[in-house]
Amino acid sequence: MSRGFRSGRALETDYPFRETLKITDQAGQAGPLPPRPARAGWAEGASVRIAGGKEEALKPGTFQRFEPANWRGAVEVALRFPMRPQASTRYNEAVSVERGPLVYALKIGETWNRVNADKPHRELPHGDFEVRPATPWNYGLLLDMKNAEAGLRFEEQPVGDRPFSPEGAGMTAAVKGRKIKTWKMAHGWPPNSPPGRPHPRSRSKT
């Protein structure tokens, strides 16, 4: 995806599904304030390359200032934020799967039921709906937490018009899991994951 950054400056990126961001600056047109990207805390080995020059490391936890005074014509600033997959232990020893700034979730089928249709001011398109699972959701992960990356597989997809929907996401994740038969719906919704067993949203396919 690509979007304008400001007058004389353009940003081209599929972040957060891809690692790179390219900023093209038309020297002398972008205004007095240069871009000042922050190095993300999860991006080990983040770097910047200016005008095809040498790749330079970004300092952790800081902003990087560029001085375009001597730039001529269109200058490209390429930022790279490496996204190393990882698994983290959360509440009740649940496990989340992460890559860069994204936390992945299990793709679950959905059944939409309209509710409160008899109430005033709830006519469409302002109706209320309950969304319930139409496919199994009670899975645990089969992962070696000491080497979780080895059990995770990521695959690039074209970024859709709705990039944060299951159909439009630019990256999917796959991991082995096992159904937990004793983990069942309670009071109409899934309860917290049992201690020692990961949460189903950790097993993702976004």
Side-chain angles (χ1 to χ4, degrees):
M1 69 184 67
S2 178
R3 64 179 177 85
F5 192 67
R6 61 181 292 182
S7 178
R9 184 174 295 150
L11 171 65
E12 180 182 351
T13 185
D14 280 334
Y15 180 89
F17 304 106
R18 310 288 188 264
E19 297 181 345
T20 58
L21 300 90
K22 293 181 180 180
I23 302 169
T24 301
D25 189 294
Q26 294 289 342
Q29 299 181 23
L33 184 64
R36 305 175 70 182
R39 184 267 199 194
W42 44 260
E44 294 294 335
S47 63
V48 60
R49 187 191 301 272
I50 301 175
K54 182 181 178 181
E55 195 171 53
E56 302 177 21
L58 292 174
K59 294 181 181 180
T62 65
F63 287 90
Q64 183 76 24
R65 185 178 179 87
F66 304 136
E67 299 293 348
N70 298 322
W71 294 1
R72 296 291 183 268
V75 177
E76 182 180 277
V77 177
L79 298 164
R80 186 173 67 88
F81 296 133
M83 298 182 183
R84 181 180 178 183
Q86 62 179 9
S88 300
T89 302
R90 302 297 180 96
Y91 175 73
N92 259 12
E93 299 181 41
V95 174
S96 67
V97 170
E98 303 157 24
R99 180 181 178 273
L102 297 180
V103 179
Y104 285 73
L106 175 67
K107 184 177 180 180
I108 302 175
E110 300 174 349
T111 298
W112 289 62
N113 298 312
R114 188 179 177 191
V115 297
N116 297 329
D118 58 334
K119 302 290 175 50
H121 311 299
R122 303 318 304 158
E123 64 277 2
L124 296 176
H126 308 293
D128 297 325
F129 291 85
E130 288 182 346
V131 184
R132 296 183 179 273
T135 56
W137 51 267
N138 51 338
Y139 288 98
L141 299 186
L142 298 176
L143 271 180
D144 178 0
M145 292 300 291
K146 295 182 179 179
N147 187 25
E149 187 174 351
L152 300 171
R153 179 171 55 84
F154 290 82
E155 182 178 347
E156 288 189 2
Q157 304 285 345
V159 179
D161 294 334
R162 295 187 298 155
F164 294 103
S165 70
E167 295 75 22
M171 185 72 69
T172 63
V175 61
K176 290 183 178 180
R178 178 175 296 165
K179 199 170 187 180
I180 304 173
K181 295 182 179 179
T182 57
W183 191 9
K184 299 179 180 180
M185 298 279 281
H187 309 293
W189 60 79
N192 289 331
S193 55
R197 298 184 184 274
H199 197 284
R201 289 182 297 180
S202 305
R203 178 186 182 267
S204 76
K205 202 156 191 187
T206 305

